[in-house]
Amino acid sequence: MEFGFAFPIRYVHVWLGLTTLVLALLVLALLATERRRRERVERFVEANLRDRLTAGRSVVSRRPLFWFTVVGSFFLALTFAQPRWGRAWQEVDRLSRDIMICLDTSESMLAKNPLPNRLERSKQKILALIDRAPGDRYGLVAFSGGAELQCPLTHDQGYFRAVLNAVDTDTISYEGTDIAAALHEATEVFKEDAEQTGDYNKDARAILLISDGEQVAGDAVEAAEEAARYARVYVIGVGDPNGAEIRIPDLVRRTTRGGGEATHLSKLDEDTLIKVAQFGQGGYIRTTPDNRDIEEIHGHIERLAARSADSDIRFHLVNRYQWPLALAILCFAAEGLWVAVLPKFRYWGRRFRSPREGVRGHA
């Protein structure tokens, strides 16, 4: 029979380790409490009178309390793990956020810093983000000296990936880098979507700008402030503040008069990108060799409000948390009942002992 938990099955050993640790600490705490209780009783009651005066409060009569607490705590931990077995058809709501990606396709993105070049690394980062949030809607704006919508907001990842792979430095014919134009284009998409759906909640929308920040036209900060009315603006800076050399023929499609090739030092302009993120009420991070930058951006996006996109009927493992929860409640209820019954043991203990001792039972 297939079995599962709320977490991936490969993490069962982690849950078992943590549960064992918590139960071990609980057992030590209970034993220490019982030892202190016994010491207090021995401090005030003579040894030969202890059993008579504390009938119903002996270690043996209190031992079930220990086991009720430990077993109940184990079932409570199992409840939080949400064991699942057996399959049934269930309606599943798909939650979604809207993410418009503005990708810099200017010639400076061909700098081999980082490798293979800034543009290809940016594409890799976008695909990594999609893998982490496959339920969101994605759109794509490519920009250099101008900006054009390449892919409208869509759940069709196959189409989005195909469009993304086709984007290069020839996609936009205008030379330069106009971040403001890209933000305006993304803002118009969200503005039209808000008017059509009636949903003006900017906390369910995000603009992800990926660029080296070498802006040569437009006011990116002003555009980010306007975009913040409809979405939060997050920025990934690609490149190195120290710069990387780019051949001018690759940058502006021409050679020097002497027939030689001049170079241009392309630097990551973090000051501009940080301001864009601040006025866009989002966040900024520089690209990293691993996907730590995507993890951070994904964390920000996950905190945005999600809305129901659609629903589907799927064959899922059934969550059986009610069973361990019922057992935990039963154990804790039995513990309370045992505490209520304990005083009766003292009374019964006196009655059964008195005939053998030849005296009338008394306190």
Side-chain angles (χ1 to χ4, degrees), residues 89-303:
W89 291 103
Q90 293 180 340
E91 183 176 0
V92 179
D93 289 331
R94 184 167 66 175
L95 300 179
S96 176
R97 305 169 185 85
D98 293 341
I99 304 173
M100 183 60 68
I101 298 174
C102 297
L103 177 60
D104 189 346
T105 60
S106 61
E107 295 291 340
S108 62
M109 293 292 284
L110 292 179
K112 293 177 170 45
N113 176 300
L115 294 172
N117 59 52
R118 295 175 182 174
L119 182 57
E120 289 303 318
R121 179 59 63 89
S122 299
K123 290 182 179 181
Q124 293 170 7
K125 297 296 183 181
I126 294 171
L127 294 177
L129 177 62
I130 294 176
D131 290 338
R132 283 163 176 74
D136 294 339
R137 284 202 305 172
Y138 292 91
L140 179 64
V141 171
F143 72 95
S144 55
E148 293 181 5
L149 178 65
Q150 302 297 311
C151 177
L153 290 168
T154 180
H155 281 115
D156 189 343
Q157 289 191 19
Y159 174 68
F160 180 88
R161 289 170 185 265
V163 173
L164 177 64
N165 289 332
V167 169
D168 57 25
T169 55
D170 293 326
T171 299
I172 306 299
S173 57
Y174 300 101
E175 299 292 349
T177 303
D178 192 345
I179 296 175
L183 295 177
H184 283 309
E185 187 70 27
T187 302
E188 284 300 315
V189 172
F190 283 141
K191 183 177 180 181
E192 292 178 6
D193 183 73
E195 292 173 351
Q196 291 176 359
T197 63
D199 183 4
Y200 288 85
N201 182 14
K202 70 177 183 179
D203 289 328
R205 300 184 176 97
I207 296 174
L208 177 58
L209 173 68
I210 304 180
S211 173
D212 55 18
E214 285 197 316
Q215 181 183 223
V216 296
D219 189 339
V221 174
E222 182 180 340
E225 194 171 10
E226 179 187 358
R229 297 168 53 193
Y230 298 93
R232 296 192 180 275
V233 181
Y234 298 97
V235 183
I236 296 180
V238 186
D240 188 341
N242 295 323
E245 285 191 348
I246 303 178
R247 291 178 302 171
I248 286 184
D250 292 335
L251 181 65
V252 295
R253 306 290 185 184
R254 65 180 176 83
T255 59
T256 60
R257 290 184 179 180
E261 293 184 345
T263 59
H264 167 74
L265 187 64
S266 176
K267 296 182 179 181
L268 171 62
D269 184 3
E270 285 193 311
D271 291 339
T272 298
L273 296 179
I274 290 174
K275 288 180 181 179
V276 168
Q278 289 176 341
F279 282 85
Q281 300 178 16
Y284 169 82
I285 186 171
R286 187 193 301 178
T287 187
T288 59
D290 54 12
N291 280 332
R292 183 174 54 84
D293 49 352
I294 291 300
E295 294 291 349
E296 182 170 338
I297 292 294
H298 178 247
H300 285 293
I301 293 175
E302 281 291 298
R303 288 193 287 271

Side-chain angles (χ1 to χ4, degrees), residues 34 37 51 54-63 342:
E34 187 63 31
R37 173 188 173 277
D51 291 340
T54 61
R57 294 292 190 273
S58 65
V59 174
V60 175
S61 63
R62 290 176 55 82
R63 190 166 295 161
L342 275 177

Side-chain angles (χ1 to χ4, degrees), residues 75-90:
F75 283 125
L76 191 61
L78 190 59
T79 300
F80 290 125
Q82 300 182 32
R84 304 175 184 194
W85 67 86
R87 287 186 173 271
W89 291 103
Q90 293 180 340

